[in-house]
Amino acid sequence: MIRSALNRIFGMLVVMALVVTIVFVIVRVTPGDPAAVMLGPDATAADIASLRQRLGLDASIPQQFISYVGGVLRGDFGQSIFLNMPVTTALMQRAEPTFFLTIFALLIATLIALPVGVLSAYWRGSAFDQAATALAMFAASVPSFWLGLIFMQVFAVQLGWFDTSGYGGPGASFGERMHHLVLPATTLGLISSALITRFTRASMLDVLNDDYVRTARSKGMSEWRVVVKHALKNALIPILTVIGLTAALLISGAIVTETVFGLPGVGSLIVSAVLRRDYPLIQGALLVVAGLYVLVNFIIDMLYLLVDPRVRY
C-alpha cells in the first residue's frame, strides 16, 4: 500500500506541474491587460506602461514563468493586483464558505443517493424505483442557478426561514454561518445526488445476482445483511469513484451557486479576478482548485486499496 501511495503522490506532482504550466500560459494568452483595467479608459499609454513595469508585466513570458514557478515552489503565489494583498491571504479569507459548502453539499448528496440507489436496485421495476429514476433524471437536468432561485423564492422570500444571500456578519457564530449555507448546499447536494444515485443503482444491480449473494441468501442470512455486507461492499468501488468525481465537480460548481446566493467564497473571488484580469489571483485560485481535485482523487484511490486490497497502482 505504501508503494502504491508513493506512486500516486509522484503522479500528483506531475499533474500539478502540468497544471501550473497550462494555467500560466492560458492566463497570459487571454486578451486583456490588468494595468489598463486598473487605470480605466482615460489612462495614457505612458501610465499603462509605467504600471506594467511596476507589476512586472513588462518582462518576457519565460522570465515571468520562471519567477512565478520559483514563487510557487516557495509557497508564494504572488500579490493580488487589485486586492493589494498576498494571493494566499485572499484565498484563505474566502476559503471557509467554499469548504463548508462543498462538504455540506457532498454530505447531502451522499446521504440521499446511497439509500435511494440501493433500494432502487433492490426493488428494481417497482413504483419506488421508477419514482427515484424520474427524480434523478429531473435533478440531473435542472441548472443549479434555477433550482437555487426557486429555493430562495420559496424558503427565503415566502416562508422567511433563511436569508436570501450572505454568510452572516463579521461576528456571526458558526451556527449562523451554517444556517446561511443550508439553501446553497441543498441546491448543490440535490443536483449532485442524481449522478451518485444512478451509479449506485447500476453498481448494485451488477452484484445483486452474483453467485456469492445467492450463496449468502442460501445460508439463511437476513436480507439486510446480504445487501449491506455482501452486495454493497462489493459495489463500493464504482460508487466511491463517482463520489470523488462529484466532490471535485462541487468545488468548481460552487462558483455559480456562490454567485446566486451572494456567498463570499473562492468561487465569487475567481469570478471577480477574471473580470479584473488579476493574473496572480486567477492563477493561485485555479491552482488551489486543481490541487483539491487531485487530492480528492488521491483519497479515493487510497480508499480503493482499503475496500479491495487487490487494487494496485
Side-chain angles (χ1 to χ4, degrees):
M1 183 170 179
I2 294 176
R3 184 176 180 180
S4 297
L6 291 175
N7 287 337
R8 295 296 296 141
I9 291 173
F10 176 75
M12 289 168 59
L13 294 176
V14 173
V15 170
M16 289 308 300
L18 291 173
V19 169
V20 169
T21 305
I22 293 171
V23 167
F24 181 88
V25 172
I26 290 177
V27 169
R28 287 303 187 281
V29 300
T30 302
D33 186 344
V37 175
M38 284 184 70
L39 295 175
D42 298 329
T44 64
D47 294 334
I48 295 175
S50 175
L51 184 57
R52 285 180 59 81
Q53 184 180 20
R54 186 164 63 84
L55 296 175
L57 299 175
D58 60 332
S60 65
I61 296 297
Q63 287 177 324
Q64 292 184 46
F65 180 69
I66 293 172
S67 174
Y68 178 68
V69 171
V72 170
L73 293 176
R74 296 191 302 272
D76 180 10
F77 290 90
Q79 188 87 1
S80 170
I81 296 174
F82 282 86
L83 299 179
N84 195 28
M85 65 171 65
V87 170
T88 50
T89 303
L91 292 174
M92 289 299 293
Q93 289 179 350
R94 298 292 196 95
E96 182 184 303
T98 303
F99 174 77
F100 284 114
L101 173 63
T102 304
I103 296 297
F104 206 172
L106 185 63
L107 190 62
I108 291 173
T110 305
L111 290 178
I112 292 174
L114 271 184
V116 171
V118 170
L119 292 176
S120 290
Y122 186 73
W123 292 324
R124 182 181 184 182
S126 66
F128 178 88
D129 182 29
Q130 294 175 5
T133 301
L135 288 175
M137 292 179 65
F138 175 76
S141 60
V142 170
S144 60
F145 69 87
W146 181 83
L147 188 60
L149 291 175
I150 294 296
F151 281 172
M152 193 184 297
Q153 177 66 28
V154 174
F155 296 105
V157 177
Q158 299 294 331
L159 298 176
W161 292 352
F162 303 97
D163 292 327
T164 54
S165 64
Y167 190 55
S173 65
F174 180 77
E176 290 171 335
R177 295 199 296 272
M178 293 303 102
H179 185 260
H180 280 81
L181 290 181
V182 171
L183 288 184
T186 304
T187 302
L188 277 178
L190 284 178
I191 291 176
S192 302
S193 68
L195 183 62
I196 303 176
T197 299
R198 299 302 297 159
F199 267 81
T200 302
R201 180 183 183 276
S203 185
M204 285 295 293
L205 286 175
D206 285 339
V207 300
L208 276 176
N209 293 320
D210 281 351
D211 291 340
Y212 64 87
V213 174
R214 285 195 291 269
T215 301
R217 283 180 173 139
S218 68
K219 291 181 178 178
M221 290 185 181
S222 65
E223 277 298 298
W224 181 87
R225 194 174 179 187
V226 169
V227 171
V228 174
K229 184 176 180 181
H230 292 276
L232 182 58
K233 182 180 178 181
N234 287 282
L236 268 182
I237 285 187
I239 297 173
L240 287 174
T241 302
V242 76
I243 290 177
L245 292 174
T246 301
L249 292 174
L250 283 172
I251 296 170
S252 55
I255 293 175
V256 175
T257 307
E258 286 181 4
T259 304
V260 170
F261 286 94
L263 287 174
V266 174
S268 55
L269 184 66
I270 292 175
V271 172
S272 63
V274 170
L275 294 175
R276 294 169 169 174
R277 305 293 189 273
D278 194 337
Y279 291 165
L281 191 52
I282 296 172
Q283 292 168 172
L286 292 181
L287 285 183
V288 169
V289 172
L292 290 174
Y293 192 99
V294 172
L295 180 61
V296 168
N297 279 279
F298 173 75
I299 293 173
I300 295 299
D301 287 343
M302 293 302 100
L303 289 177
Y304 285 170
L305 296 176
L306 293 176
V307 173
D308 187 353
R310 294 171 299 177
V311 176
R312 289 290 180 270
Y313 297 100

